[in-house]
Amino acid sequence: MARAFLVVMDSVGIGGAPDASSFYNGDLPDLGANTLAHIAQACAAGRAETGRTGPLHVPNMDRLGLGAAMRLASAVPFPGLDSAPQGRWGCAAEISRGKDTPSGHWELAGVPVPWDWHFFPDTQPAFPPELSNYVAEQAGTQGILGDRHAPGTAIIDALGGEHMRSGWPICYTSADSVFQIAAHEETFGLDRLLDLCRAIAPRLHAMKVGRVIARPFVGNPQDGFNRTPNRRDFAILPPSPVLNNWVQEAGGTVHAIGKIGDIFSMQGIDTLDKGPDAQLMQHLSDRVQNAEDGSLTFANFVEFDSLYGHRRDIAGYARALEWFDTQLGSILPRLRDGDILVLTADHGNDPSWPGTDHTREQVPVLVSGRGAGPLGQVAFADIAASIAAHLGVAAQGPGRSFL
């Protein structure tokens, strides 16, 4: 029987979104943003030499058709990536009115987001008083700290000591539709933080805020603070069944790797493996070796986005791409006859672009296991429909199979 592997390279966009001019980083529209092309340009020009050197080297993805997909999506020039494609290749555009992780993944799984997300203004305070009061009430405190847009590590450094003294949770947001709470694992308590996020999530979801995120940390003001791996996302549920549910309803097993469990609130998921990207790659390798016939393995590799895109670290992003490509080269030959591996992304995050937000871009669609040739420009939801068709599962969304 067939198996399917859907692998999302978080934020690895290839430009050319038809509606990019209506999405912004600050006052600058995303028109012209191109994550991969601009990284390739920087590498070729010697502007991405930290921890690596020379032109961007991703031969395994290029052989699948990455360069061809980039040229299909956008006219932004880039050097190299000119291998003759040996896989199926194309690009995909999103219709959901968001350039965030939930919107992208839901639509990749077959269900475009039917509403506009709520975003908090970049003001101080950022949250309406009644919401801040509600969070404090649920926390059992007299107030909250933060109440603004901020990078997570920066706000913990700034307010960690005050948080430890007062016991008030640090609440902040970003350009995404999120409400984040940072709290000390020892002085506030990890279970207490998770219970708080769980308690307030329904109210935030009713506002169409996509995620409530628990951001635990440890440390002290003298030695510094560090976030722990115990992050937990409480995400709003998709409005209808997604690819994961379709596979389960047909009797298949769904294995989630990385953020997939949080993105779908564990709906339609049988197993979950988490960790840093290096560990996730081992989990993906294990699933290629051991996953059952008829199963779906759905993986997200987030560090392109979280460590390098938002931080506008071009060299770091290039290193991550080259590492990922090397690992992919050891996985592809171990796919079985009847397997399909689809490599794609959920949005862009151009590290050369002003600001720190995601960028509205098309994404690559690279397929191993179904011959070679162009797919053309497809929809995000077509990816779910195609995987469903490969597995012999009834698709319930608007997408059409390109296989």
Side-chain angles (χ1 to χ4, degrees), residues 352-367:
S352 73
W353 209 244
T356 60
D357 191 11
H358 298 144
T359 44
R360 182 73 163 187
E361 302 179 39
Q362 293 195 77
V363 300
V365 182
L366 310 178
V367 182

Side-chain angles (χ1 to χ4, degrees), residues 130-144 169 181 188 192-204:
E130 59 272 17
L131 176 61
S132 298
N133 292 338
Y134 177 74
V135 174
E137 177 185 335
Q138 296 299 310
T141 60
Q142 295 181 345
I144 64 171
I181 305 181
F188 190 91
R192 183 183 172 196
L193 171 60
L194 297 179
D195 287 344
L196 172 59
C197 291
R198 189 178 295 110
I200 69 169
R203 180 157 178 167
L204 273 298

Side-chain angles (χ1 to χ4, degrees), residues 16-189:
D19 56 0
S21 61
S22 64
F23 291 81
Y24 290 81
N25 263 262
D27 295 329
L28 179 70
D30 288 341
L31 190 65
N34 192 317
T35 299
L36 266 177
H38 290 155
I39 291 171
Q41 290 174 1
C43 290
R47 292 185 282 106
E49 296 290 298
T50 304
R52 60 163 311 282
T53 191
L56 183 66
H57 186 65
V58 287
N60 295 300
M61 287 190 283
D62 194 26
R63 278 193 292 270
L64 284 179
L66 180 59
M70 292 169 68
R71 291 180 175 90
L72 175 64
S74 170
V76 174
F78 60 91
L81 283 82
D82 50 8
S83 297
Q86 299 175 20
R88 303 292 300 277
W89 56 271
C91 60
E94 184 178 8
I95 63 172
S96 300
R97 292 297 300 169
K99 52 176 180 175
D100 54 88
T101 295
S103 295
H105 280 77
W106 288 10
E107 196 167 328
L108 291 172
V111 178
V113 179
W115 56 69
D116 289 335
W117 295 109
H118 177 80
F119 300 93
F120 294 107
D122 192 1
T123 58
Q124 192 169 350
F127 309 127
E130 59 272 17
L131 176 61
S132 298
N133 292 338
Y134 177 74
V135 174
E137 177 185 335
Q138 296 299 310
T141 60
Q142 295 181 345
I144 64 171
L145 301 175
D147 201 352
R148 62 180 183 262
H149 282 235
T153 52
I155 201 166
I156 290 169
D157 289 341
L159 297 177
E162 185 177 352
H163 161 74
M164 294 178 71
R165 291 189 297 272
S166 69
W168 292 13
I170 303 171
C171 302
Y172 62 104
T173 187
S174 71
D176 289 343
S177 180
V178 294
F179 187 95
Q180 304 190 75
I181 305 181
H184 199 284
E185 281 198 358
E186 297 162 359
T187 62
F188 190 91

